[in-house]
Amino acid sequence: MEALTKIRPEVTVRVFKRQFDADPRGARLARRVGLHKLHTWGIAYLSDVSESAALIIGELTANAVTHGRVPDRDFELRLSFLLGDPETPGLLRIEVSDTRGECRPPGPGEITAPEDSSDSGRGLLIVDALADRWAVLDRNPGKTVRAELDLLY
């Protein structure tokens, strides 16, 4: 009798990385380009994953140009997409990096809600609510904020 072997499909990881100007226009462009890339990878516009990714990319890129901006330095958007199957969930990783290391945002579990009258301070609360996991990572120079979405099939 022969041993049964499970045939596992090849692992496919798609990666997109691009630098953008550290200004509001660059943040908007990063969001649009990122969503287009996700669509080409099979994550349809207006799907739940696409909508969550749009909000996360928008918040992280806005933070990068508002709080992480260094004159004459860009920020970077990196998207990684690992396909899943019915037995193993896929993964979408969103990373936004800037070169300002001394202005580090609070990490998971450290966020406090702003005053009701405040016009800002809710971006990472949105990331915390939508992402399955997220973290603030050191980088030389600067920092990376990473958010991950599990893709269930």
Side-chain angles (χ1 to χ4, degrees), residues 4 32-34 63 73-74 76 79 83 91 98 104 106 110 115 119 130 134 137:
L4 296 176
R32 293 186 67 160
V33 169
N63 285 352
R73 296 282 181 103
D74 296 338
E76 180 180 277
L79 303 173
L83 292 175
L91 178 73
D98 64 57
R104 190 177 172 90
E110 301 173 349
E115 297 292 324
D119 290 337
L130 294 174
W134 71 281
L137 309 169

Side-chain angles (χ1 to χ4, degrees), residues 2-136:
E2 291 182 30
L4 296 176
T5 59
K6 181 177 178 183
I7 298 173
R8 186 174 173 108
E10 292 183 31
V11 174
T12 302
V13 178
R14 294 182 171 108
V15 177
F16 168 80
K17 180 173 78 167
R18 182 171 167 193
Q19 293 185 337
F20 296 89
D21 291 337
D23 58 26
R25 185 176 179 196
R28 286 190 306 272
L29 182 60
R31 182 180 166 276
R32 293 186 67 160
V33 169
L35 289 179
H36 175 72
K37 181 53 69 177
L38 295 180
H39 184 75
T40 65
W41 289 344
I43 298 174
Y45 289 121
L46 302 177
S47 67
D48 289 344
V49 173
S50 177
E51 291 292 291
S52 293
L55 289 169
I56 292 170
I57 293 169
E59 292 302 333
L60 296 183
T61 58
N63 285 352
V65 303
T66 303
H67 306 293
R69 185 177 186 282
V70 173
D72 299 322
R73 296 282 181 103
D74 296 338
F75 73 90
E76 180 180 277
L77 171 66
R78 181 182 171 104
L79 303 173
S80 304
F81 177 48
L82 174 65
L83 292 175
D85 58 40
E87 296 177 17
T88 309
L91 178 73
L92 175 61
R93 178 177 292 153
I94 300 164
E95 296 174 301
V96 176
S97 302
D98 64 57
T99 55
R100 190 166 178 198
E102 75 279 1
C103 188
R104 190 177 172 90
E110 301 173 349
I111 303 172
T112 57
E115 297 292 324
D116 289 340
S117 60
S118 178
D119 290 337
S120 63
R122 292 172 181 81
L124 289 178
L125 288 171
I126 293 171
V127 173
D128 192 55
L130 294 174
D132 291 299
R133 287 164 302 285
W134 71 281
V136 181

